[in-house]
Amino acid sequence: MSSPIQALLRAEELPTHWYNLNADFPEPIPPPLHPGTRQPVTPDLLSAIFPENLVAQEMTAERLVEIPQEVRDVYSLYRPTPLLRAVRLEKALQTPAHIYYKYEGVSPAGSHKPNTAIPQAYYNKIAGTKRLATETGAGQWGSSLAFACSVFGLECNIYMVKVSFHQKPYRKLLMQTYGATVHASPSNQTEFGRKVLAADPQSSGSLGLAISEAIEDTVTHPGTKYALGSVLNHVCLHQSVIGLETITQMERAGEEPDVIIGCAGGGSNFAGLAFPFLRGKIAGRKNYRIVAVEPASCPSLTKGELRYDFGDMAETTPLMMMHTLGHTFMPPNIHAGGLRYHGMAPMVSHCKKLGLIEAVAVPQLKVFESAVRFARTEGIVPAPESSHAIAVAIDEALRCKAEGRKRVIVFNLSGNGLLDLAAYDSFLSGKMHESGLDTGE
Ligand SMILES: *Cc1c(COP(=O)(O)O)cnc(C)c1O
């Protein structure tokens, strides 16, 4: 049943424009503020770390932004990505629900993150940037940017959260294979890293800390700019290709979604799937339930406060209005490294505030039970991050079964888990506990 849909959609053209939800919010989003003056930031402040073309994209309210042909050419290596119906999972659950998943794990790096890495590298290249500095948690973003930099001929310098650096040697090797330089963060490459190491030589690092190192690297090296893999408006913009393709693909499948689900770390893959659908919901044409899923141990949307906070630990970024656990929050070392971030994209936070989306938090063991169930029915080993969305899709499908009614569920399978098998080892051998790593660690 799923193969004809896939075959149809493989032939589909990829989108010509990205969709910007900032054009359609019923109430404008609070602007980022300068931490000193608490006035809205001006483009020149952001230009210290980003090229001007991306700063312009960060601030634009233009509804449709054209995707440059050079970017579409690289997208075409793996886009459009398939939309599949999980018929075997439906059967195993004995549910009347129809479950669809958009599979972003077919990209070179194995996740949705190249969708923004490619345009970010491209815009930097045409702006004259020679070198990009960035951070990475589980390594998905680092490998995506490393790949994009290799395509456009840029150097790439990556600060990788130390716990992942040691846990995920294959992610590090993937980045190095694409030609990037990788440091375990906290590192001795930056003043902030050295300061943290002096206070705590055993520090396992965090995304907020690694961002501080990458920003310091940027402002101390001429020709270098910074790239962020989530959270920011231009990242959500680039990720909209996911939802735009899904809308076309669902139309071709002849179905209308009732429930749309995505996991949320910084919020970008969720935004990518959900925002193009939200356009119809805001216009009053559609009434989707849209659910963001986060880990119970890093619950920024469900337990965090909505307030201005820094994006990084060293307080170098502008203040952003977002759901946050506080910029000094050190999340437990759960296996879904890509969801270990203290904040949430301002655009996703604003959607939550306006009641356009819901959020739920799921504990780690339930996530892996769902991941294994999915692998054993659909065949794809999902990334631990994406498996948060699977857990809620299964809950929804079981609710349909209990209520004896059909609903159409669409979730984003944001990546595959082939480089996360150590996490599966921990689960399958019974060593995993509810929040945090193996009992031995
Ligand atoms: C990084 C990552 C995430 C979380 O990041 P978002 O910005 O919230 O999308 C989710 N899934 C995968 C596979 C990732 O690599």
Side-chain angles (χ1 to χ4, degrees):
M1 254 165 129
S2 52
S3 51
I5 294 167
Q6 185 182 4
L8 268 176
L9 295 165
R10 270 295 183 188
E12 186 70 22
E13 289 287 299
L14 55 87
T16 55
H17 292 72
W18 291 298
Y19 167 66
N20 183 7
L21 181 61
N22 273 324
D24 290 315
F25 272 132
E27 190 183 292
I29 189 164
L33 302 183
H34 186 289
T37 63
R38 292 191 78 92
Q39 292 301 307
V41 296
T42 46
D44 54 301
L45 189 78
L46 296 174
S47 306
I49 57 171
F50 296 111
E52 275 168 24
N53 47 17
L54 282 174
V55 173
Q57 255 182 17
E58 181 64 18
M59 299 189 143
T60 186
E62 194 184 352
R63 181 172 289 110
L64 296 172
V65 176
E66 190 168 4
I67 307 176
Q69 188 56 46
E70 292 86 341
V71 171
R72 298 181 78 222
D73 287 346
V74 187
Y75 274 173
S76 71
L77 285 172
Y78 65 97
R79 303 210 73 85
T81 59
L83 177 79
L84 294 148
R85 184 165 157 208
V87 277
R88 290 167 191 84
L89 177 64
E90 289 170 16
K91 216 173 262 167
L93 297 171
Q94 297 182 296
T95 175
H98 289 187
I99 307 173
Y100 290 85
Y101 58 96
K102 178 70 167 162
Y103 186 38
E104 291 293 310
V106 294
S107 81
S111 76
H112 66 288
K113 291 201 172 76
N115 298 339
T116 185
I118 294 162
Q120 288 195 47
Y122 167 77
Y123 285 115
N124 270 286
K125 180 70 183 180
I126 61 170
T129 305
K130 302 291 177 227
R131 176 176 175 274
L132 283 177
T134 198
E135 72 293 327
T136 193
Q140 287 273 16
W141 169 241
S143 40
S144 302
L145 193 68
F147 159 68
C149 283
S150 75
V151 168
F152 291 107
L154 296 169
E155 278 178 58
C156 189
N157 199 40
I158 302 172
Y159 294 86
M160 183 173 189
V161 177
K162 196 191 275 169
V163 60
S164 301
F165 185 91
H166 295 301
Q167 248 177 24
K168 310 212 169 193
Y170 293 109
R171 275 279 161 211
K172 176 184 65 192
L173 285 164
L174 186 56
M175 293 179 237
Q176 290 168 337
T177 301
Y178 287 133
T181 305
V182 190
H183 311 281
S185 166
S187 77
N188 57 15
Q189 300 285 307
T190 65
E191 211 175 297
F192 189 66
R194 288 189 291 272
K195 197 174 108 188
V196 173
L197 280 175
D200 177 13
Q202 304 306 320
S203 169
S204 58
S206 74
L207 216 44
L209 198 169
I211 294 174
S212 299
E213 287 207 275
I215 292 178
E216 184 183 327
D217 178 303
T218 303
V219 297
T220 53
H221 291 78
T224 298
K225 292 289 179 190
Y226 170 69
L228 189 63
S230 187
V231 179
L232 298 178
N233 298 352
H234 66 272
V235 179
C236 295
L237 175 77
H238 299 154
Q239 292 295 351
S240 67
V241 287
I242 301 172
L244 292 167
E245 286 177 10
T246 305
I247 288 175
T248 311
Q249 289 169 317
M250 287 305 292
E251 277 168 9
R252 290 204 164 198
E255 298 226 70
E256 180 75 83
D258 298 300
V259 191
I260 295 162
I261 303 167
C263 69
S268 72
N269 87 87
F270 169 78
L273 176 66
F275 287 3
F277 284 100
L278 270 175
R279 185 182 182 185
K281 183 166 170 166
I282 290 169
R285 292 194 302 271
K286 312 282 184 180
N287 192 23
Y288 312 113
R289 270 188 62 218
I290 303 183
V291 188
V293 191
E294 56 186 12
S297 54
C298 195
S300 54
L301 270 176
T302 52
K303 297 253 175 74
E305 288 178 297
L306 181 62
R307 62 174 167 86
Y308 274 107
D309 195 11
F310 291 99
D312 74 322
M313 200 174 165
E315 309 186 348
T316 39
T317 70
L319 291 165
M320 291 177 286
M321 175 59 90
M322 62 179 176
H323 275 276
T324 177
L325 298 161
H327 62 280
T328 57
F329 179 75
M330 279 278 186
N333 292 333
I334 52 164
H335 284 284
L339 304 185
R340 291 177 74 243
Y341 183 60
H342 69 271
M344 183 54 62
M347 290 183 78
V348 172
S349 299
H350 197 54
C351 288
K352 174 86 183 335
K353 184 196 156 204
L354 298 176
L356 295 168
I357 63 166
E358 304 164 29
V360 292
V362 183
Q364 180 163 248
L365 284 174
K366 176 173 168 160
V367 167
F368 275 86
E369 278 157 23
S370 311
V372 167
R373 194 163 203 178
F374 187 81
R376 289 178 186 175
T377 47
E378 294 299 313
I380 296 167
V381 176
E385 292 85 0
S386 322
S387 304
H388 287 71
I390 299 177
V392 171
I394 290 177
D395 278 352
E396 285 292 329
L398 292 175
R399 216 154 58 84
C400 290
K401 180 180 172 181
E403 294 171 3
R405 64 175 279 196
K406 177 196 156 184
R407 279 194 197 89
V408 177
I409 300 166
V410 181
F411 73 86
N412 197 17
L413 188 60
S414 53
N416 74 60
L418 290 177
L419 291 181
D420 301 296
L421 290 177
Y424 281 84
D425 178 33
S426 157
F427 176 72
L428 294 170
S429 62
K431 279 186 275 179
M432 182 180 286
H433 58 177
E434 206 47 282
S435 64
L437 284 179
D438 299 354
T439 32
E441 291 172 69

